Amino acid sequence: MVKLSCYWLILALVGVARAQDSGETTEVATLDDKCGKNRDGCCSEIYVGEEDEMVKCFVIHSPKLPAPGDTDMGKTLRFLSCFVECMYKQKKYIGKSDTINMKMVKLDAEKMYADRPKEKEYHIAMFDFCKKDAVTVYNLLKASPGAKTLLKDACRPYLLMVFLCISDYHQKHECPYFRWEGTAKAGTKEQCEEAKAKCYAIDGITLPPKS
């Protein structure tokens, strides 16, 4: 997974983020916990995808990144939205009228998770939920003059709303083992990785290499 610090600002702007609980425990749950459920200390990180899927689009759109110290939210939105549009174009996820093409999402899931059925089902369910949730969020934004101004130069803002929904989907729904990720700061990174590997083993699957 890759983390972008500016995501918290955007998530707050569109009102789709779940505020991180300042009292969240960093203690990792015992090993007998179910692998398909939330695991304390392993589910608070935002998910933005696999790095190898993002590199090409990041390189293409990095010139749009605001300069260090530039707090212009419009520029940040422009970069993020164009970056997301590029990724979804690359994966052929964009359907008619800028919607999410679920047929391509399912085909991609079959390919990406050929030997990992739980991840395949999760990926499809996640996009199915977020493509609908994003419609509501985007309509609210379009009704706000301030948000409309910020989104004026953005690339297909609806797709960005889908992406933002996906980034914290595991925090609002189930957080199965393949979404577990701790942090070095909280001292949970290695423990979450070990627990994840054991859950993959329980399912008879080799832990996928990190991108």
Side-chain angles (χ1 to χ4, degrees):
M1 298 181 192
V2 182
K3 297 183 284 296
L4 301 177
S5 59
C6 58
Y7 276 15
W8 284 113
L9 297 175
I10 304 302
L11 287 166
L13 171 71
V14 300
V16 296
R18 179 177 66 83
Q20 199 159 338
D21 183 0
S22 59
E24 180 189 10
T25 176
T26 57
E27 180 184 353
V28 178
T30 56
L31 292 176
D32 59 357
D33 277 7
K34 293 180 180 178
C35 293
K37 303 293 182 181
N38 177 73
R39 189 178 186 83
D40 290 345
C42 298
C43 293
S44 62
E45 292 299 289
I46 286 178
Y47 175 81
V48 297
E50 302 303 325
E51 189 170 359
D52 55 358
E53 296 177 353
M54 308 171 90
V55 171
K56 181 180 177 181
C57 290
F58 184 84
V59 171
I60 291 170
H61 293 288
S62 57
K64 296 185 180 75
L65 271 169
D70 189 337
T71 57
D72 187 331
M73 190 62 72
K75 292 179 182 178
T76 302
L77 275 169
R78 181 168 177 253
F79 162 72
L80 285 174
S81 63
C82 295
F83 171 67
V84 170
E85 178 192 48
C86 175
M87 283 206 308
Y88 287 172
K89 272 185 179 178
Q90 188 173 268
K91 296 172 79 64
K92 300 181 180 178
Y93 279 9
I94 305 175
K96 294 178 180 179
S97 303
D98 296 344
T99 55
I100 294 295
N101 184 337
M102 286 304 296
K103 180 180 178 180
M104 295 308 299
V105 170
K106 290 173 183 177
L107 287 172
D108 190 43
E110 292 278 359
K111 181 181 176 182
M112 286 193 300
Y113 307 117
D115 301 316
R116 288 138 64 190
K118 291 180 182 178
E119 289 175 75
K120 180 187 75 174
E121 291 171 9
Y122 190 87
H123 185 83
I124 293 169
M126 177 176 67
F127 268 93
D128 191 50
F129 173 86
C130 286
K131 73 184 181 71
K132 299 167 187 172
D133 182 73
V135 171
T136 302
V137 175
Y138 187 37
N139 285 338
L140 287 171
L141 286 177
K142 287 192 293 185
S144 165
K148 281 180 73 174
T149 300
L150 286 174
L151 294 168
K152 184 176 66 172
D153 297 321
C155 299
R156 301 197 236 199
Y158 165 74
L159 299 177
L160 177 59
M161 301 306 113
V162 174
F163 186 72
L164 293 174
C165 172
I166 284 168
S167 73
D168 69 348
Y169 179 84
H170 63 291
Q171 297 173 348
K172 296 177 178 178
H173 302 268
E174 293 297 343
C175 180
Y177 67 86
F178 44 83
R179 280 290 187 270
W180 293 351
E181 183 175 354
T183 64
K185 183 178 179 180
T188 58
K189 191 172 184 65
E190 289 184 9
Q191 296 174 68
C192 292
E193 280 299 309
E194 288 173 4
K196 181 194 295 187
K198 288 180 180 179
C199 285
Y200 269 110
I202 288 170
D203 279 347
I205 301 170
T206 302
L207 181 69
K210 283 195 169 187
S211 58

